């Protein structure tokens, strides 16, 4: 049985994370952004892209060549289309810049798209399309990751699980927000299972020879299964091509392989914003989205199912719970955070981290 999770106060977690990235050389704005995106992922229950990522990010900034002061910039413009160079900044910095740009452009062009190169890992991509909601826009984002999936029927890492995230504004939260990679499970979730010493669910992964496995360590050295078989493999491939080939960044095996030395600044992303008023009255659109969400929530559940949730609703409910009760983290994740703090000479917050409430298993 895995060790009980610990409930951590989100304000203390944000403060510590912000201090860690500031100690890595980031300015206050970028360090705060890193903390925002990582805490947002854990608040939504997407722990594969939250605090679990901090040690990896810190290593890449301090040893792997990521520029903590890198500045993204626009290098090409064509109507509502932009090419952004991330300046070898953390992906969060470059993609936030690109999303800000397309939100502003879409107000006059109706639709705006930005391809980002010279970037790095950008965390959970749902954060970026959600930025468009306040502007009465639909947001979209994808990113190109290291190849960790085989083509359908294959036994080689050739395709990233390259997620797609879309956010549609509703009359009130929960908005409709979808964020999904095209593998059955994210790489980071497999790492969480390994950390907890638990077997994977059936159908998540293969070993290096293409045989099904439930051992997380074997899976991390093997292959993740595409969701929906050939459909997931194809969609993962297409998302990666859109991000990498429109931006001129590395694609597929040009990036290297998961677990090997990764050259910084080789990641790529694609973000877009659609101004709803260019097509429909925003109030009407929001009301219809809310109606579609309510229809899903009111759906008769199948046998053995308590209720049906709309896309993004479970994450919305987790945010409410975790804001109230604290964010559940494993002792291993918390220990790694505190070790990073010691190595960087950062003093953890006086309250809210160690000795927090147990969240059960």
């Amino acid at each position: 049985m895995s060790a009980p999770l610990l409930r951590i106060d989100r304000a203390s977690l944000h403060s510590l994370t912000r201090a860690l990235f500031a100690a890595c050389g980031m300015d206050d704005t970028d360090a705060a952004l890193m903390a925002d995106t990582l805490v947002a992922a854990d608040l939504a229950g997407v722990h594969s892209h939250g605090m679990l990522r901090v040690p990896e990010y810190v290593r890449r900034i301090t040893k792997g060549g990521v520029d903590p002061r890198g500045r993204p910039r626009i290098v090409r413009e064509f109507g509502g289309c932009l090419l952004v160079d991330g300046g070898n900044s953390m992906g969060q910095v470059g993609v936030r810049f690109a999303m800000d740009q397309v939100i502003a452009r879409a107000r006059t062009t109706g639709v705006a798209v930005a391809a980002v190169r010279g970037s790095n890992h950008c965390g959970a991509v749902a954060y970026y399309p959600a930025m468009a909601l306040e502007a009465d826009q639909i947001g979209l984002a994808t990113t190109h990751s290291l190849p960790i999936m085989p083509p359908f029927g294959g036994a080689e890492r050739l395709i990233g699980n390259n997620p797609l995230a879309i956010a549609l504004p509703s009359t009130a939260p929960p908005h409709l927000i979808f964020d999904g990679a095209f593998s059955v499970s994210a790489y980071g979730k497999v790492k969480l299972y390994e950390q907890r010493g638990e077997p994977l669910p059936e159908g998540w992964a293969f070993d290096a020879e293409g045989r099904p496995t439930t051992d997380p360590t074997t899976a991390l050295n093997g292959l993740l299964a595409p969701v929906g078989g050939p459909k997931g493999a194809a969609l993962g491939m297409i998302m990666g091509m859109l991000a990498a080939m429109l931006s001129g960044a590395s694609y597929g095996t040009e990036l290297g392989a998961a677990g090997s030395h990764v050259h910084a600044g080789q990641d790529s992303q694609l973000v877009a914003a659609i101004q709803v008023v260019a097509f429909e009255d925003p109030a009407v659109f929001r009301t219809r989205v809310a109606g579609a969400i309510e229809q899903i929530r009111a759906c008769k559940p199948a046998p053995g199912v308590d209720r049906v949730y709309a896309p993004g609703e479970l994450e919305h409910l987790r945010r409410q719970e975790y804001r109230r009760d604290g964010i559940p983290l494993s002792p291993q994740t918390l220990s790694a955070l505190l070790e990073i703090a010691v190595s960087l000479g950062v003093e953890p917050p006086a309250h809210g981290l160690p000795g927090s409430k147990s969240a059960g298993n």
Side-chain angles (χ1 to χ4, degrees), residues 212-296:
T213 183
T214 59
D215 180 73
T217 302
T218 300
L220 292 172
N221 293 314
L223 305 155
L224 296 191
V227 65
K231 295 179 182 179
L235 286 167
M237 181 178 180
I238 289 166
M239 291 300 110
M241 293 171 73
L242 289 174
M245 295 186 182
L246 284 176
S247 67
S250 298
Y251 170 75
T253 55
E254 295 169 353
L255 278 169
S260 66
H261 175 73
V262 178
H263 296 287
Q266 295 297 302
D267 288 19
S268 56
Q269 291 87 22
L270 187 83
V271 297
I274 302 170
Q275 189 73 50
V276 171
V277 75
F279 302 90
E280 173 63 287
D281 178 275
V284 172
F285 184 84
R286 290 195 306 269
T287 299
R288 294 191 69 190
V289 171
I293 291 171
E294 188 54 41
Q295 187 178 51
I296 298 297

Side-chain angles (χ1 to χ4, degrees), residues 117-153:
R117 70 185 187 202
S119 185
N120 291 284
H121 195 276
C122 67
V125 290
Y127 184 91
Y128 310 104
M131 292 169 56
L133 295 173
E134 290 187 8
D136 272 329
Q137 295 176 358
I138 297 166
L140 299 93
T142 186
T143 183
H144 182 221
S145 66
L146 288 165
I148 54 176
M149 296 195 309
F152 183 67

Side-chain angles (χ1 to χ4, degrees), residues 48-49 148 161 181 183-191 204 224:
S48 58
H49 287 70
I148 54 176
N161 63 349
S183 57
V184 175
S185 177
Y187 191 78
K189 284 188 179 179
V190 178
K191 291 176 71 174
W204 276 28
L224 296 191

Side-chain angles (χ1 to χ4, degrees), residues 336-347:
L337 274 180
L338 297 177
E339 285 179 14
I340 291 290
V342 170
S343 71
L344 293 173
V346 172
E347 184 72 24

